[in-house]
Amino acid sequence: MIEDCEVVVVGGGPAGSSAALVLGRCRRKVTVFDSGVYRNARSRAVHGYLTRDGESPAELRRLSRAELARYDSVSVRSETVAEIAASDPDAFIVRTSQGTQIRCRMLLLATGLIDRLPSVPGAADLLGDRIFVCPYCDGWELRDEPLAVYDRQGRYAALIAQWSRDTIVCTDGPPEIEPDLQRRLAELELRVESRLIAGFEAKEQGVSIVFREGPAIHRRAIFVNGECPPQSDFARKLGCRLDDKGGVEVGRDGSTSVSGVYVAGDASRDALQAIVAAGEGAVAAVAINEALSR
Ligand SMILES: Cc1cc2nc3c(=O)[nH]c(=O)nc-3n(C[C@H](O)[C@H](O)[C@H](O)COP(=O)(O)OP(=O)(O)OC[C@H]3O[C@@H](n4cnc5c(N)ncnc54)[C@H](O)[C@@H]3O)c2cc1C
């Protein structure tokens, strides 16, 4: 059986949930599919979210779900979207791994990103606790603490130094730092450590960087500048135009080159923060509602 609704939102993080709230308030029939893989699942607190600064990600989700539950045209399902196909006229068929099939007129992809950490033993286990990816999210709590940056090119290190000048740049092999940046790091008096890393280990309140040779270094936390590929590639498969970095080309209202397909949140690759994702979800929801009204 194929169900019908006006909008399917794929992703129940800040972007998708915020979009569903706005669309619910517009009395739109919305289904949110959420596979439960949140980017900040390992994090203890969401920082920089006005009125919720320091709230745990799980509590923020609980509050979001409780607010969505007030709107009877919004349904949130813990299902994983497996396939989306364009279907005439002006409709999409969304299929989940759990067997649901829904036809909708508009699609919001709020599927977020995944953090690809350096392949150093211990990195994944310590994410969100002693290893961090974003100074805007966690820099304040670590201000003036002894830090390290895992960064072969040195660009990230110059940024992190804004929060703590006691920062060591670990390049895990020969540095690839441009001469201008080398001068900048020297001005900032940041030490560059190029020994090969064997692993990261939790120790006391911080983390030890264990090298293949020589003594370990102990730091309060490490920032890593890993890659963040999209968690899903539905937009590409639906034929949305990509930008020169391989991300989806997204308009200010979340629209893509494919009519009826919108993208919001981290997946749109704007500033990667929860409040930005929520704002983008709301903007896309208004655009979707107005497109449906037309
Ligand atoms: C360690 C860490 C700490 C962070 N700390 C902060 C912080 O302090 N402050 C801050 O503002 N930001 C922080 N962030 C960033 C923040 O988590 C993201 O900016 C935010 O979660 C983006 O929201 P989103 O809705 O775009 O994506 P996400 O929160 O990643 O949500 C994506 C959603 O898509 C769903 N999904 C994906 N594919 C499918 C599919 N096929 N079917 C169904 N559902 C699917 C997932 O289950 C999930 O619900 C942190 C990130 C990390 C990694």
Side-chain angles (χ1 to χ4, degrees):
M1 189 192 81
I2 299 188
E3 301 170 41
D4 279 293
C5 77
E6 291 178 290
V7 187
V8 163
V9 177
V10 190
S17 303
S18 165
L21 176 64
V22 173
L23 288 163
R25 293 179 56 77
C26 298
R27 311 187 74 182
R28 294 293 180 189
K29 194 171 176 208
V30 183
T31 301
V32 180
F33 288 114
D34 183 2
S35 58
V37 183
Y38 309 102
R39 189 168 167 233
N40 60 355
R42 301 290 305 271
S43 166
R44 289 184 183 168
V46 178
H47 297 117
Y49 197 119
L50 193 65
T51 76
R52 291 282 178 262
D53 187 30
E55 191 64 270
S56 79
E59 178 61 4
L60 208 59
R61 271 195 297 282
R62 192 193 65 74
L63 291 166
S64 307
R65 293 291 182 274
E67 287 177 6
L68 291 181
R70 292 186 207 143
Y71 298 88
D72 55 9
S73 67
V74 177
S75 129
V76 182
R77 301 194 191 180
S78 301
E79 295 185 40
T80 302
V81 172
E83 192 189 347
I84 305 175
S87 144
D88 285 326
D90 297 335
F92 302 92
I93 305 280
V94 177
R95 295 189 180 85
T96 72
S97 308
Q98 288 73 14
T100 301
Q101 292 196 69
I102 291 199
R103 184 186 297 108
C104 63
R105 287 178 57 199
M106 297 276 171
L107 200 57
L108 176 63
L109 303 173
T111 46
L113 302 174
I114 46 174
D115 290 277
R116 199 169 281 158
L117 297 173
S119 54
V120 174
D125 296 337
L126 299 176
L127 178 68
D129 180 21
R130 294 152 210 241
I131 292 189
F132 299 92
V133 292
C134 164
Y136 299 101
C137 300
D138 295 295
W140 169 260
E141 283 64 35
L142 296 165
R143 64 196 183 281
D144 299 326
E145 294 277 0
L147 302 179
V149 184
Y150 185 96
D151 180 13
R152 194 156 286 168
Q153 276 98 31
R155 282 189 208 100
Y156 203 42
L159 176 70
I160 300 298
Q162 194 178 323
W163 282 271
S164 173
R165 294 291 282 270
D166 182 5
T167 294
I168 297 175
V169 189
C170 291
T171 58
D172 195 13
E176 296 164 9
I177 307 174
E178 304 273 340
D180 277 1
L181 209 46
Q182 278 178 23
R183 277 192 290 279
R184 178 75 187 127
L185 298 186
E187 268 168 31
L188 292 167
E189 298 178 351
L190 303 190
R191 175 178 139 200
V192 178
E193 173 60 76
S194 62
R195 280 182 292 161
L196 287 169
I197 297 175
F200 299 135
E201 290 173 7
K203 193 171 171 204
E204 293 152 12
Q205 297 306 304
V207 50
S208 282
I209 305 168
V210 181
F211 297 95
R212 297 223 190 135
E213 285 176 7
I217 294 176
H218 188 69
R219 301 269 91 189
R220 169 65 188 84
I222 304 170
F223 279 90
V224 299
N225 189 15
E227 281 176 48
C228 291
Q231 201 180 152
S232 84
D233 67 348
F234 294 123
R236 187 186 58 78
K237 285 184 180 156
L238 285 162
C240 297
R241 207 162 38 232
L242 303 182
D243 61 24
D244 50 7
K245 290 183 194 146
V248 185
E249 213 176 87
V250 179
R252 287 175 68 97
D253 59 358
S255 56
T256 68
S257 60
V258 174
S259 174
V261 179
Y262 290 74
V263 174
D266 278 8
S268 80
R269 292 178 173 275
D270 210 336
L272 304 181
Q273 287 204 283
I275 198 159
V276 176
E280 287 181 8
V283 169
V286 169
I288 288 171
N289 181 58
E290 292 185 3
L292 283 169
S293 305
R294 285 195 292 271

